[in-house]
PDB file of all heavy atoms in Angstrom:
ATOM      1  N   PHE H 228      95.330 157.813  56.598  1.00  0.00           N
ATOM      2  CA  PHE H 228      96.036 157.736  55.324  1.00  0.00           C
ATOM      3  C   PHE H 228      94.982 158.025  54.212  1.00  0.00           C
ATOM      4  O   PHE H 228      93.776 157.988  54.460  1.00  0.00           O
ATOM      5  CB  PHE H 228      96.657 156.386  55.142  1.00  0.00           C
ATOM      6  CG  PHE H 228      95.667 155.341  54.684  1.00  0.00           C
ATOM      7  CD1 PHE H 228      95.541 154.922  53.339  1.00  0.00           C
ATOM      8  CD2 PHE H 228      94.786 154.721  55.586  1.00  0.00           C
ATOM      9  CE1 PHE H 228      94.631 153.979  52.948  1.00  0.00           C
ATOM     10  CE2 PHE H 228      93.798 153.775  55.170  1.00  0.00           C
ATOM     11  CZ  PHE H 228      93.732 153.459  53.835  1.00  0.00           C
ATOM     12  N   ALA H 277      96.924 154.047  59.362  1.00  0.00           N
ATOM     13  CA  ALA H 277      98.009 154.404  58.448  1.00  0.00           C
ATOM     14  C   ALA H 277      97.942 153.602  57.180  1.00  0.00           C
ATOM     15  O   ALA H 277      98.733 153.840  56.246  1.00  0.00           O
ATOM     16  CB  ALA H 277      99.382 154.110  59.153  1.00  0.00           C
ATOM     17  N   GLY H 278      97.025 152.649  57.122  1.00  0.00           N
ATOM     18  CA  GLY H 278      96.858 151.827  55.941  1.00  0.00           C
ATOM     19  C   GLY H 278      95.552 151.074  55.967  1.00  0.00           C
ATOM     20  O   GLY H 278      94.800 151.118  57.002  1.00  0.00           O
ATOM     21  N   PRO H 279      95.175 150.402  54.929  1.00  0.00           N
ATOM     22  CA  PRO H 279      93.851 149.677  54.862  1.00  0.00           C
ATOM     23  C   PRO H 279      93.840 148.458  55.771  1.00  0.00           C
ATOM     24  O   PRO H 279      94.822 147.944  56.235  1.00  0.00           O
ATOM     25  CB  PRO H 279      93.765 149.329  53.381  1.00  0.00           C
ATOM     26  CG  PRO H 279      95.209 149.109  52.933  1.00  0.00           C
ATOM     27  CD  PRO H 279      96.000 150.166  53.723  1.00  0.00           C
ATOM     28  N   LEU H 280      92.582 147.935  55.973  1.00  0.00           N
ATOM     29  CA  LEU H 280      92.466 146.699  56.702  1.00  0.00           C
ATOM     30  C   LEU H 280      93.167 145.543  56.047  1.00  0.00           C
ATOM     31  O   LEU H 280      93.713 144.644  56.691  1.00  0.00           O
ATOM     32  CB  LEU H 280      90.947 146.342  56.809  1.00  0.00           C
ATOM     33  CG  LEU H 280      90.038 147.274  57.580  1.00  0.00           C
ATOM     34  CD1 LEU H 280      88.617 146.737  57.550  1.00  0.00           C
ATOM     35  CD2 LEU H 280      90.498 147.485  59.017  1.00  0.00           C
ATOM     36  N   SER H 281      93.147 145.542  54.688  1.00  0.00           N
ATOM     37  CA  SER H 281      93.812 144.503  53.925  1.00  0.00           C
ATOM     38  C   SER H 281      94.117 145.059  52.556  1.00  0.00           C
ATOM     39  O   SER H 281      93.570 146.068  52.140  1.00  0.00           O
ATOM     40  CB  SER H 281      92.867 143.267  53.826  1.00  0.00           C
ATOM     41  OG  SER H 281      93.546 142.209  53.167  1.00  0.00           O
ATOM     42  N   GLY H 282      95.043 144.386  51.839  1.00  0.00           N
ATOM     43  CA  GLY H 282      95.360 144.823  50.504  1.00  0.00           C
ATOM     44  C   GLY H 282      96.467 145.839  50.481  1.00  0.00           C
ATOM     45  O   GLY H 282      97.047 146.200  51.509  1.00  0.00           O
ATOM     46  N   GLU H 283      96.749 146.339  49.255  1.00  0.00           N
ATOM     47  CA  GLU H 283      97.828 147.288  49.078  1.00  0.00           C
ATOM     48  C   GLU H 283      97.522 148.650  49.614  1.00  0.00           C
ATOM     49  O   GLU H 283      96.385 149.106  49.665  1.00  0.00           O
ATOM     50  CB  GLU H 283      98.161 147.314  47.582  1.00  0.00           C
ATOM     51  CG  GLU H 283      98.688 146.011  46.979  1.00  0.00           C
ATOM     52  CD  GLU H 283      99.046 146.191  45.548  1.00  0.00           C
ATOM     53  OE1 GLU H 283      99.045 147.316  45.020  1.00  0.00           O
ATOM     54  OE2 GLU H 283      99.348 145.165  44.885  1.00  0.00           O
ATOM     55  N   LEU H 284      98.564 149.346  49.984  1.00  0.00           N
ATOM     56  CA  LEU H 284      98.451 150.742  50.412  1.00  0.00           C
ATOM     57  C   LEU H 284      98.542 151.654  49.207  1.00  0.00           C
ATOM     58  O   LEU H 284      99.525 151.590  48.417  1.00  0.00           O
ATOM     59  CB  LEU H 284      99.574 151.091  51.451  1.00  0.00           C
ATOM     60  CG  LEU H 284      99.677 152.565  51.871  1.00  0.00           C
ATOM     61  CD1 LEU H 284      98.432 152.965  52.631  1.00  0.00           C
ATOM     62  CD2 LEU H 284     100.905 152.801  52.726  1.00  0.00           C
ATOM     63  N   HIS H 285      97.507 152.489  49.001  1.00  0.00           N
ATOM     64  CA  HIS H 285      97.466 153.468  47.881  1.00  0.00           C
ATOM     65  C   HIS H 285      97.318 154.867  48.448  1.00  0.00           C
ATOM     66  O   HIS H 285      96.815 155.082  49.552  1.00  0.00           O
ATOM     67  CB  HIS H 285      96.285 153.157  46.926  1.00  0.00           C
ATOM     68  CG  HIS H 285      96.302 151.822  46.321  1.00  0.00           C
ATOM     69  ND1 HIS H 285      97.122 151.471  45.275  1.00  0.00           N
ATOM     70  CD2 HIS H 285      95.640 150.673  46.645  1.00  0.00           C
ATOM     71  CE1 HIS H 285      96.911 150.187  44.920  1.00  0.00           C
ATOM     72  NE2 HIS H 285      96.028 149.688  45.738  1.00  0.00           N
ATOM     73  N   ASP H 286      97.808 155.858  47.672  1.00  0.00           N
ATOM     74  CA  ASP H 286      97.547 157.237  48.047  1.00  0.00           C
ATOM     75  C   ASP H 286      97.206 157.970  46.752  1.00  0.00           C
ATOM     76  O   ASP H 286      97.296 157.462  45.625  1.00  0.00           O
ATOM     77  CB  ASP H 286      98.725 157.864  48.756  1.00  0.00           C
ATOM     78  CG  ASP H 286      99.996 157.921  47.963  1.00  0.00           C
ATOM     79  OD1 ASP H 286      99.954 158.259  46.773  1.00  0.00           O
ATOM     80  OD2 ASP H 286     101.082 157.696  48.516  1.00  0.00           O
ATOM     81  N   PRO H 351      89.189 157.170  53.468  1.00  0.00           N
ATOM     82  CA  PRO H 351      88.867 155.717  53.555  1.00  0.00           C
ATOM     83  C   PRO H 351      88.111 155.430  54.850  1.00  0.00           C
ATOM     84  O   PRO H 351      88.191 156.112  55.821  1.00  0.00           O
ATOM     85  CB  PRO H 351      90.246 155.157  53.561  1.00  0.00           C
ATOM     86  CG  PRO H 351      91.165 156.132  52.906  1.00  0.00           C
ATOM     87  CD  PRO H 351      90.604 157.438  53.301  1.00  0.00           C
ATOM     88  N   THR H 353      88.472 153.086  56.979  1.00  0.00           N
ATOM     89  CA  THR H 353      89.244 152.157  57.830  1.00  0.00           C
ATOM     90  C   THR H 353      88.944 152.422  59.308  1.00  0.00           C
ATOM     91  O   THR H 353      88.811 151.487  60.080  1.00  0.00           O
ATOM     92  CB  THR H 353      90.755 152.282  57.515  1.00  0.00           C
ATOM     93  OG1 THR H 353      90.946 152.330  56.106  1.00  0.00           O
ATOM     94  CG2 THR H 353      91.509 151.111  58.108  1.00  0.00           C
ATOM     95  N   PHE H 392      88.157 157.090  44.730  1.00  0.00           N
ATOM     96  CA  PHE H 392      89.431 156.851  45.477  1.00  0.00           C
ATOM     97  C   PHE H 392      89.194 156.353  46.840  1.00  0.00           C
ATOM     98  O   PHE H 392      89.869 155.417  47.336  1.00  0.00           O
ATOM     99  CB  PHE H 392      90.303 158.086  45.477  1.00  0.00           C
ATOM    100  CG  PHE H 392      91.494 157.936  46.351  1.00  0.00           C
ATOM    101  CD1 PHE H 392      92.585 157.215  45.884  1.00  0.00           C
ATOM    102  CD2 PHE H 392      91.564 158.386  47.692  1.00  0.00           C
ATOM    103  CE1 PHE H 392      93.697 157.002  46.630  1.00  0.00           C
ATOM    104  CE2 PHE H 392      92.685 158.148  48.458  1.00  0.00           C
ATOM    105  CZ  PHE H 392      93.748 157.439  47.937  1.00  0.00           C
ATOM    106  N   PHE H 394      86.838 154.644  48.357  1.00  0.00           N
ATOM    107  CA  PHE H 394      86.457 153.240  48.364  1.00  0.00           C
ATOM    108  C   PHE H 394      87.589 152.325  47.871  1.00  0.00           C
ATOM    109  O   PHE H 394      87.798 151.213  48.325  1.00  0.00           O
ATOM    110  CB  PHE H 394      85.157 152.993  47.593  1.00  0.00           C
ATOM    111  CG  PHE H 394      83.936 153.424  48.326  1.00  0.00           C
ATOM    112  CD1 PHE H 394      83.947 154.284  49.415  1.00  0.00           C
ATOM    113  CD2 PHE H 394      82.696 152.859  47.956  1.00  0.00           C
ATOM    114  CE1 PHE H 394      82.791 154.605  50.109  1.00  0.00           C
ATOM    115  CE2 PHE H 394      81.528 153.220  48.651  1.00  0.00           C
ATOM    116  CZ  PHE H 394      81.571 154.075  49.744  1.00  0.00           C
ATOM    117  N   PHE H 395      88.259 152.857  46.883  1.00  0.00           N
ATOM    118  CA  PHE H 395      89.440 152.048  46.300  1.00  0.00           C
ATOM    119  C   PHE H 395      90.534 151.887  47.317  1.00  0.00           C
ATOM    120  O   PHE H 395      91.225 150.853  47.369  1.00  0.00           O
ATOM    121  CB  PHE H 395      89.952 152.844  45.060  1.00  0.00           C
ATOM    122  CG  PHE H 395      91.201 152.264  44.456  1.00  0.00           C
ATOM    123  CD1 PHE H 395      91.097 151.113  43.614  1.00  0.00           C
ATOM    124  CD2 PHE H 395      92.418 152.829  44.661  1.00  0.00           C
ATOM    125  CE1 PHE H 395      92.265 150.641  43.020  1.00  0.00           C
ATOM    126  CE2 PHE H 395      93.600 152.321  44.092  1.00  0.00           C
ATOM    127  CZ  PHE H 395      93.505 151.185  43.251  1.00  0.00           C
ATOM    128  N   ALA H 396      90.739 152.921  48.158  1.00  0.00           N
ATOM    129  CA  ALA H 396      91.819 152.910  49.119  1.00  0.00           C
ATOM    130  C   ALA H 396      91.644 151.804  50.173  1.00  0.00           C
ATOM    131  O   ALA H 396      92.664 151.249  50.659  1.00  0.00           O
ATOM    132  CB  ALA H 396      91.978 154.262  49.827  1.00  0.00           C
ATOM    133  N   ASP H 397      90.430 151.476  50.518  1.00  0.00           N
ATOM    134  CA  ASP H 397      90.158 150.337  51.473  1.00  0.00           C
ATOM    135  C   ASP H 397      88.792 149.734  51.203  1.00  0.00           C
ATOM    136  O   ASP H 397      87.853 149.998  51.960  1.00  0.00           O
ATOM    137  CB  ASP H 397      90.298 150.813  52.907  1.00  0.00           C
ATOM    138  CG  ASP H 397      90.370 149.625  53.879  1.00  0.00           C
ATOM    139  OD1 ASP H 397      90.134 148.493  53.448  1.00  0.00           O
ATOM    140  OD2 ASP H 397      90.658 149.795  55.070  1.00  0.00           O
ATOM    141  N   PRO H 398      88.652 148.970  50.146  1.00  0.00           N
ATOM    142  CA  PRO H 398      87.381 148.362  49.868  1.00  0.00           C
ATOM    143  C   PRO H 398      86.920 147.371  50.906  1.00  0.00           C
ATOM    144  O   PRO H 398      85.710 147.125  51.114  1.00  0.00           O
ATOM    145  CB  PRO H 398      87.551 147.710  48.484  1.00  0.00           C
ATOM    146  CG  PRO H 398      89.001 147.458  48.381  1.00  0.00           C
ATOM    147  CD  PRO H 398      89.636 148.641  49.132  1.00  0.00           C
ATOM    148  N   PHE H 399      87.906 146.783  51.635  1.00  0.00           N
ATOM    149  CA  PHE H 399      87.544 145.815  52.695  1.00  0.00           C
ATOM    150  C   PHE H 399      86.805 146.565  53.821  1.00  0.00           C
ATOM    151  O   PHE H 399      85.874 145.964  54.399  1.00  0.00           O
ATOM    152  CB  PHE H 399      88.801 145.132  53.190  1.00  0.00           C
ATOM    153  CG  PHE H 399      89.459 144.252  52.228  1.00  0.00           C
ATOM    154  CD1 PHE H 399      90.395 144.712  51.329  1.00  0.00           C
ATOM    155  CD2 PHE H 399      89.112 142.921  52.174  1.00  0.00           C
ATOM    156  CE1 PHE H 399      90.990 143.879  50.417  1.00  0.00           C
ATOM    157  CE2 PHE H 399      89.711 142.061  51.254  1.00  0.00           C
ATOM    158  CZ  PHE H 399      90.668 142.541  50.311  1.00  0.00           C
ATOM    159  N   ARG H 516      86.392 143.813  46.107  1.00  0.00           N
ATOM    160  CA  ARG H 516      87.575 143.968  46.937  1.00  0.00           C
ATOM    161  C   ARG H 516      88.866 143.444  46.222  1.00  0.00           C
ATOM    162  O   ARG H 516      89.977 143.919  46.542  1.00  0.00           O
ATOM    163  CB  ARG H 516      87.383 143.255  48.241  1.00  0.00           C
ATOM    164  CG  ARG H 516      86.493 143.962  49.226  1.00  0.00           C
ATOM    165  CD  ARG H 516      85.866 143.078  50.251  1.00  0.00           C
ATOM    166  NE  ARG H 516      84.763 142.352  49.665  1.00  0.00           N
ATOM    167  CZ  ARG H 516      83.986 141.523  50.366  1.00  0.00           C
ATOM    168  NH1 ARG H 516      84.221 141.237  51.593  1.00  0.00           N
ATOM    169  NH2 ARG H 516      82.986 140.892  49.726  1.00  0.00           N
ATOM    170  N   THR H 517      88.779 142.508  45.347  1.00  0.00           N
ATOM    171  CA  THR H 517      89.957 141.833  44.885  1.00  0.00           C
ATOM    172  C   THR H 517      90.035 141.789  43.360  1.00  0.00           C
ATOM    173  O   THR H 517      90.934 141.150  42.805  1.00  0.00           O
ATOM    174  CB  THR H 517      90.005 140.385  45.373  1.00  0.00           C
ATOM    175  OG1 THR H 517      88.840 139.651  44.966  1.00  0.00           O
ATOM    176  CG2 THR H 517      90.124 140.373  46.885  1.00  0.00           C
ATOM    177  N   GLY H 518      89.180 142.460  42.646  1.00  0.00           N
ATOM    178  CA  GLY H 518      89.207 142.408  41.168  1.00  0.00           C
ATOM    179  C   GLY H 518      90.490 142.960  40.613  1.00  0.00           C
ATOM    180  O   GLY H 518      90.967 144.020  41.118  1.00  0.00           O
ATOM    181  N   GLU H 519      90.996 142.383  39.576  1.00  0.00           N
ATOM    182  CA  GLU H 519      92.230 142.819  38.965  1.00  0.00           C
ATOM    183  C   GLU H 519      92.091 144.272  38.459  1.00  0.00           C
ATOM    184  O   GLU H 519      93.003 145.096  38.591  1.00  0.00           O
ATOM    185  CB  GLU H 519      92.667 141.929  37.844  1.00  0.00           C
ATOM    186  CG  GLU H 519      93.966 142.307  37.207  1.00  0.00           C
ATOM    187  CD  GLU H 519      94.399 141.352  36.126  1.00  0.00           C
ATOM    188  OE1 GLU H 519      93.681 140.365  35.845  1.00  0.00           O
ATOM    189  OE2 GLU H 519      95.475 141.615  35.444  1.00  0.00           O
ATOM    190  N   SER H 522      88.811 146.599  41.691  1.00  0.00           N
ATOM    191  CA  SER H 522      88.868 146.788  43.074  1.00  0.00           C
ATOM    192  C   SER H 522      88.333 148.180  43.480  1.00  0.00           C
ATOM    193  O   SER H 522      88.655 149.168  42.833  1.00  0.00           O
ATOM    194  CB  SER H 522      90.313 146.638  43.580  1.00  0.00           C
ATOM    195  OG  SER H 522      90.377 146.866  44.953  1.00  0.00           O
TER     196      SER H 522
END
Side-chain angles (χ1 to χ4, degrees):
F228 80 101
L280 296 179
S281 184
E283 297 182 6
L284 174 63
H285 300 281
D286 64 40
T353 317
F392 176 78
F394 279 21
F395 175 79
D397 194 349
F399 293 88
R516 285 157 281 181
T517 59
E519 182 180 359
S522 179

